[in-house]
Amino acid sequence: MVQEFLEDTTGGSNGTGRNVGESEPEEEQKMLTTTEEKPKIEQMDLEIGDKDIPVTDETRCGYGFCTGPLLQKFANKKIYVLLFGLAGAFFNSSFAYFNGTISTIEKRFKIPSRNSGFISVGNDISLMLVSILVTYYAGKGHKPRWMAAGLFMLSAFCLLTSLPHFIYGGGSVESFTVEHGFNPDEEELKIMMEQEKKKILCNANLKDAVKCEIDEGNWGPQIIFFCAQLIAGVGAALYSSLGTAYMDDNVKKSKTPALMSLSFFIRMLGPAFGYALASFSVNTFVSPSLTPTITKSDPRWIGAWWFGWFFLGVILFFFAAILFLFPRQLPRAAERRRLAAIRRNEGKTADGGEDINADENLPASFTDMVTTLKRLFSNKIFMMNNCASIFYFFGFTPYWIFTPKYMESQYQQTASDSNLYTGSVAFAFTAIGILSSGFVVSRYKPSARKMAAWNCFVGAITALGYLSYTQIGCAANDNAVVMNENPIGGSLTSCNSNCHCDYVKYAPVCGEDMHTYISACHAGCTDQIDTGLNSTSKLFTNCSCIQSAGASVNSTTMGDFGGTATSGACPVDCKREFHMFLIVMCILKFLGSTGMATNFLICIRCIDEKDKTISLGISFTITSLFSFIPSPIIFGMIMDSTCVLWGKTCSGTGNCWRYDGPSLRYFLNSVTSLSIAVAVVFDIIVWYYVRDLVVFDEKEEITSD
């Protein structure tokens, strides 16, 4: 590595500005001696190891008394990339864990969905407000320690999110435990189960029907959750911007794409772990020290939602403590810079890819920050690239959130299958794309124009891919559900008008007439029989909206109705369409991930070295303000406009239960495709302006293997 650097900086000339023949005799003799000793010097530089590099305050690993040769061995780029990636994986798992436990948290603290949606954007709000300020001042300081401070804040976010459990306890569900004296006999359990069954059936008696819940719960937990999200936004800004900048500062430019792709890949493992942890937690009783007398299938069950937050908080604290010990500069990177300074002083420095700007170490000040912002906002490549990112993220955000839900509504996939395909198949193709592109870019070192052209190509294919989703629908599933407003016959009253189904939640059942109904109550079913095959299989009988087997198809006689239904929607054949959707999704995931390395390189190479950290902070602010915050709101409105069946609450309209399939498919995918198409226009502008941008050290390209 050092030998390559020396070859880069010396090049093919002596670099003195005059010919050898014109030198004074002693200078000529000195140069001849240097030329003779050059192979020896290069061999010595080639053999330089960590032990040969002097340890200074800038390169010393540890803090205070916690230093020494043992710690110093870990101050290298491989250990850093591993730790940076693992810390990011656990951080990313917190978002997946939040998605996996939010319904349990809402049930425990009676938090309305609209409130939980506002809580979830708290990190984007703080990221938008403070990322420029904190990344500027932190970028002037000790990057690993500021990054560790960000991880400490993320640890605090996780621990603070678990705090409401330790303040408010497990709630009323703790009364259904042996320790609290709740140990009913078989007869009492049977009565209780019958009462629960009646809540989802057709009940002529209003007192047995499902009631709406007026109480929205305590505001205390909601305030704690929101404050925790605000802390997470600041921590994420510090960790992501400084961690990325520190990696690029301490590795050769030719190695950045491969190492960055590797860290992206490690961080991508986080969501899978987060969902697995969420599954474990919600299937564990909220108070593990107590013995519950109800099962997980009981609607009153509350899982240990807090456990994963506490676990992640401890893990992130551990990684923060380790990264805090990293030096300001990694030893090998510092040695390369030292040799560069020597060559520069001797007038022998070639293209200074590894050099540091003289004013990079200027003290932080408000005036300098304003100057830096003016410099970055006037950078055409940087701003056009950020504009492209705005529209890309704006279009992608709803799919990050709603892909499982989209699969369920369009192709009648179960929630577990949808999560499986999203988390495994999509992840596999994304991982392949990230790793392969990183190593290809590191190996072949394409020019900035070629990388920008690839980004344009990927964006265009992605826009067409999302547009193709509008044509991949399942007609059999679009009109599969029978609405409860339909009467049995033109002159008859509705078959479920006396069932009091207003507050019964969406739980589709399949009638023996092979029609899907909103719920057993909406189908007019008055009885339920457990089939015994498994805990989730149920048979509903005496269903007044379902025609009995053997009855005339066009019959309107009441006696011909009273059929049966089973839990779950009626099966529809959407395999062909669903497989087409998966194929397109995998292609788009693969292609989209190949553009991550190229886009990242253009983003950090188009600005000065000293502006690297704050430029990432500006990007966070812009994308949060114009993409991550408004996108879910706008796409939520688009999805709501296609809703054909709304739930009810005490205060009015609840969540959407059923969407109009074709309308949702056309609106959602068309707007997404249009957003990505606009991003491609900005990518084309970037392609035009990067014609003179140097991404890799040109001489490093010649000398590196």
Side-chain angles (χ1 to χ4, degrees), residues 97 101 276-285 303-308:
Y97 187 81
T101 58
L277 184 61
S279 176
F280 170 80
S281 298
V282 298
N283 284 294
T284 303
F285 190 61
W305 61 271
W306 56 272
F307 172 76

Side-chain angles (χ1 to χ4, degrees), residues 347-417:
K348 296 181 180 179
T349 301
D351 188 14
E354 298 283 353
D355 294 350
I356 301 176
N357 247 315
D359 56 340
E360 182 178 1
N361 295 320
L362 287 176
S365 67
F366 181 76
T367 303
D368 180 60
M369 184 175 71
V370 172
T371 303
T372 301
L373 292 176
K374 288 180 180 179
R375 183 167 57 246
L376 288 172
F377 281 115
S378 62
N379 186 319
K380 294 178 181 178
I381 300 175
F382 177 72
M383 292 308 299
M384 291 300 101
N385 197 55
N386 273 292
C387 288
S389 297
I390 288 172
F391 287 96
Y392 275 123
F393 288 132
F394 184 88
F396 288 150
T397 297
Y399 282 90
W400 294 339
I401 300 173
F402 302 124
T403 294
K405 192 173 186 177
Y406 184 86
M407 291 182 181
E408 292 175 45
S409 64
Q410 293 293 319
Y411 308 108
Q412 205 180 93
Q413 298 297 306
T414 64
S416 58
D417 286 345

